[in-house]
Amino acid sequence: YLCMPYYIPSAPGTPIRGLLGVNVRKLGIPDKAQLLRSYINNANTPALEDILAHFHYHMALSFFRIAAIGQGVYKRSKQGNASSARANMFGAFVELTAQIGNSVMEDAAEAARGIPAECEGVDGLGSPGSFLPRFKFSKKFHKLRSELLGFMQEHIYPNERVLHRQHKELTEKTGSRWVVPPIFEKLKAVAKKRGLWNLFLTKSKHHKLDTGLTNVEYSVLCEILGRSVWFAPEICNCSAPDTGNMEVLAMYGTKQQQDRWLTPLMEGKIRSCFAMTEPRVASSDATNIQTTITPTSDGHYVINGHKWWTSGAMDPRCKLCILMGRVVKGSSSSSSSSSASSQYRQQSMILVPMDAEGITIKRPLHVFGYDDAPHGHAEVIFNNVKVPKENMLVGEGKGFEIAQGRLGPGRIHHCMRLIGMAERALEMMVHRVQLRTTFKVPIAMHGGIEQAIALSRIEIDQCRLLTMQAAEMIDRVGNKLARQQVAMIKVAAPSMATKVIDRAIQAFGGMGVCQDTFLAYMWVGARTLR
């Protein structure tokens, strides 16, 4: 009922006064999308989820209900027993509201995507009406994109606050932050049923597990998922580090390794982590990695090392760790050769079950105060952890080779998710500055704000095209030849996202830096990747 005036015109000579066709912003009245968003942010009722997911249905039902009530009033006026002398005017109102109800239902056939205009994008690829860059896109991609956009509107955006509420309630009940809200499994089942599952596995000569999409095509879907980066990727089984680990297992794993680990990961039954970074060395240069993998005479490897920023290790569903370390034979823990070629043959990757004896989760690490629960980032000690030799990926000394095969697409994913985050921040900024006034004019009218919005639009589009170019090169010539483009985007995307999100925070003022919006959390994520 609150939104009905936006659909009703003003009818001269009648008491009907609607807002259809009125420049509400000029009058200082929020538009429909702004009103809905404000209501969503402030309402605290579980029933709201289903109502917003079927907004057009409820809107049409409201008009038909008013039409029925009006028809009764009009009938009583004809019979001469109405309570008002002007009751006969309801005749025109009945016809008008019934027509509007029909119109809303007709529009719903094309536009029933959940919350109207709440999260549709400001020209970004997360918008159903946006134009795609002129890359090659298959019919399958267009179908998946349309399905994903609808899924985001129907299930993701309306449930974001449900996710946080459930996690808070579970934390209070169990006394632990490392608990998984039930909304995850509920929506994962829906995503799987709709075919929005494991979208990240693009065409590859190494395996036949792909979805048939190219890296360019998935990059667009990845941007859409990035608009709710803390929620949507996992719902579609497309979240890091699982995606990279699944790609590694699909490309390099033996059948035994795939049966044990890849299958449950692809089914979403378990999660995984990746252990490379170490606190005692500059791990951006992976030749510095000190963790040792020592072969034994009984067909095993013994792992000793100290890792941190092992993303995903805190998750109670994490069952597998892919660890990077140096294979050491004999008593020496240092390389016997200093040649450049041997340096890049020191590191290996090995599969380590998280329940193996000798693994100690020392502590969760906070990112600017956020613990990223239930996913989390851990400091992990590996003390004489023994695993079978069959757990080695590809072979000893192949760690760099595997890493390079993993990093190209993975960086595309991170960058496009960042672009999705930036798009959402820009939308929030655009809506916010139209709701508030300073010095008797809307904030949107100030030159500095107009410049901030324009710069954000330019920077996002530049970064998107650069990232999609890198994705196209990976599709066409492979990771190795696309390494320059991949190197550029890993610098450009986080830098762009931090700037755009920072401008949105500025537009929100005090609200931008507190827990009432997602902006502070998005900024932390972008800054960490940078």
Side-chain angles (χ1 to χ4, degrees):
Y1 290 115
L2 190 63
C3 293
M4 290 179 73
Y6 295 103
Y7 294 85
I8 301 172
S10 291
T14 74
I16 300 173
R17 294 290 184 270
L19 295 175
L20 185 66
V22 176
N23 188 343
V24 292
R25 294 178 182 176
K26 190 174 181 180
L27 298 175
I29 300 172
D31 62 24
K32 182 179 63 178
Q34 293 163 349
L35 180 67
L36 270 174
R37 188 177 58 261
S38 179
Y39 186 80
I40 293 163
N41 290 342
N42 289 284
N44 186 25
T45 168
L48 187 63
E49 305 164 33
D50 294 330
I51 294 171
L52 291 174
H54 304 91
F55 180 83
H56 288 86
Y57 167 79
H58 290 282
M59 194 75 250
L61 183 62
S62 298
F63 275 107
F64 291 141
R65 185 177 294 162
I66 293 297
I69 294 170
Q71 179 65 26
V73 174
Y74 180 65
K75 181 179 180 181
R76 287 195 295 274
S77 74
K78 288 294 187 180
Q79 293 172 339
N81 60 0
S83 60
S84 171
R86 304 175 67 188
N88 65 314
M89 299 181 71
F90 269 88
F93 188 68
V94 169
E95 185 175 357
L96 173 65
T97 51
Q99 287 175 348
I100 293 173
N102 282 326
S103 177
V104 171
M105 290 300 290
E106 289 171 2
D107 291 344
E110 296 180 2
R113 294 184 297 270
I115 309 167
E118 206 279 341
C119 286
E120 289 189 345
V122 183
D123 299 328
L125 298 190
S127 169
S130 62
F131 290 98
L132 293 167
R134 294 189 66 179
F135 293 93
K136 290 182 178 179
F137 297 105
S138 64
K139 289 182 179 179
K140 180 174 184 177
F141 159 78
H142 286 292
K143 181 179 179 182
L144 283 171
R145 177 174 178 262
S146 177
E147 186 70 34
L148 182 58
L149 287 168
F151 183 77
M152 295 288 289
Q153 293 286 349
E154 187 178 349
H155 293 288
I156 297 298
Y157 302 131
N159 283 302
E160 286 175 328
R161 294 188 180 277
V162 176
L163 166 67
H164 290 282
R165 186 182 71 243
Q166 287 184 354
H167 188 258
K168 181 181 178 182
E169 291 171 352
L170 280 172
T171 297
E172 292 171 351
K173 182 179 179 180
T174 64
S176 172
R177 294 277 297 162
W178 314 108
V179 286
V180 182
I183 192 68
F184 274 115
E185 295 306 317
K186 176 184 175 182
L187 294 188
K188 282 163 75 172
V190 178
K192 190 181 291 188
K193 187 175 180 180
R194 291 195 179 186
L196 300 172
W197 194 256
N198 292 330
L199 302 171
F200 69 94
L201 275 172
T202 55
K203 292 179 181 177
S204 173
K205 63 182 179 181
H206 298 284
H207 58 78
K208 296 181 180 179
L209 300 170
D210 61 83
T211 56
L213 297 175
T214 64
N215 280 288
V216 168
E217 290 173 332
Y218 177 62
S219 71
V220 178
L221 304 183
C222 201
E223 177 183 332
I224 297 169
L225 293 172
R227 294 169 56 81
S228 185
V229 71
W230 51 88
F231 192 21
E234 181 178 340
I235 295 301
C236 296
N237 213 37
C238 293
S239 56
D242 292 335
T243 50
N245 290 343
M246 284 188 272
E247 285 174 329
V248 164
L249 287 165
M251 293 171 67
Y252 303 106
T254 64
K255 186 178 186 307
Q256 181 185 8
Q257 292 168 347
Q258 290 177 348
D259 289 345
R260 182 175 180 187
W261 300 114
L262 179 59
T263 298
L265 278 168
M266 291 187 67
E267 291 174 351
K269 293 180 179 178
I270 64 171
R271 297 209 63 186
S272 62
C273 62
F274 183 74
M276 187 186 91
T277 307
E278 298 180 359
R280 294 192 177 94
V281 295
S283 305
S284 56
D285 177 1
T287 61
N288 288 333
I289 297 301
Q290 297 298 302
T291 295
T292 60
I293 305 172
T294 306
T296 65
S297 58
D298 62 350
H300 289 77
Y301 287 104
V302 174
I303 302 165
N304 284 283
H306 186 179
K307 300 287 187 180
W308 72 345
W309 295 111
T310 305
S311 296
M314 297 302 303
D315 194 313
R317 300 163 296 176
C318 181
K319 304 300 180 185
L320 169 68
C321 174
I322 297 184
L323 176 139
M324 192 165 185
R326 300 167 62 241
V327 172
V328 175
K329 298 180 179 180
S331 60
S332 173
S333 62
S334 61
S335 174
S336 60
S337 171
S338 60
S339 69
S341 60
S342 67
Q343 273 191 318
Y344 294 100
R345 291 198 298 269
Q346 290 178 8
Q347 305 297 338
S348 302
M349 286 194 191
I350 194 165
L351 305 174
V352 184
M354 286 299 288
D355 59 359
E357 186 177 350
I359 296 179
T360 302
I361 304 291
K362 187 175 181 181
R363 58 170 176 156
L365 298 170
H366 291 189
V367 187
F368 289 94
Y370 290 97
D371 61 9
D372 282 342
H375 179 63
H377 315 277
E379 184 173 358
V380 188
I381 306 296
F382 295 85
N383 182 26
N384 291 325
V385 178
K386 195 172 184 179
V387 297
K389 282 191 174 180
E390 292 76 19
N391 284 25
M392 181 65 68
L393 281 165
V394 185
E396 295 178 2
K398 298 293 185 179
F400 272 93
E401 176 186 329
I402 297 169
Q404 290 307 308
R406 182 185 195 271
L407 283 177
R411 283 174 175 158
I412 299 291
H413 303 171
H414 275 307
C415 290
M416 290 304 286
R417 281 193 292 263
L418 281 165
I419 292 166
M421 290 165 58
E423 281 286 1
R424 183 134 185 221
L426 176 58
E427 292 168 24
M428 293 172 69
M429 173 167 56
V430 167
H431 289 300
R432 173 72 171 186
V433 298
Q434 295 174 83
L435 289 173
R436 296 297 181 99
T437 60
T438 55
F439 309 106
K440 299 183 179 180
V441 296
I443 297 175
M445 301 292 288
H446 294 295
I449 289 294
E450 292 176 339
Q451 183 182 42
I453 292 170
L455 280 174
S456 298
R457 175 79 277 142
I458 292 165
E459 290 164 359
I460 291 172
D461 285 3
Q462 286 176 331
C463 197
R464 177 186 293 113
L465 288 172
L466 187 64
T467 305
M468 293 183 73
Q469 180 196 30
E472 191 275 337
M473 286 197 68
I474 291 176
D475 287 331
R476 184 159 44 90
V477 298
N479 292 347
K480 188 173 182 180
L481 293 179
R483 64 186 181 275
Q484 182 175 331
Q485 282 69 27
V486 172
M488 287 191 286
I489 63 172
K490 76 173 184 177
V491 174
S495 178
M496 174 278 298
T498 51
K499 286 189 287 186
V500 172
I501 297 167
D502 184 73
R503 293 177 192 131
I505 290 173
Q506 190 72 18
F508 270 77
M511 183 180 280
V513 296
C514 76
Q515 70 270 32
D516 288 354
T517 74
F518 304 123
L519 290 172
Y521 185 73
M522 287 197 291
W523 186 89
V524 166
R527 181 60 185 87
T528 304
L529 285 172
R530 185 179 133 206

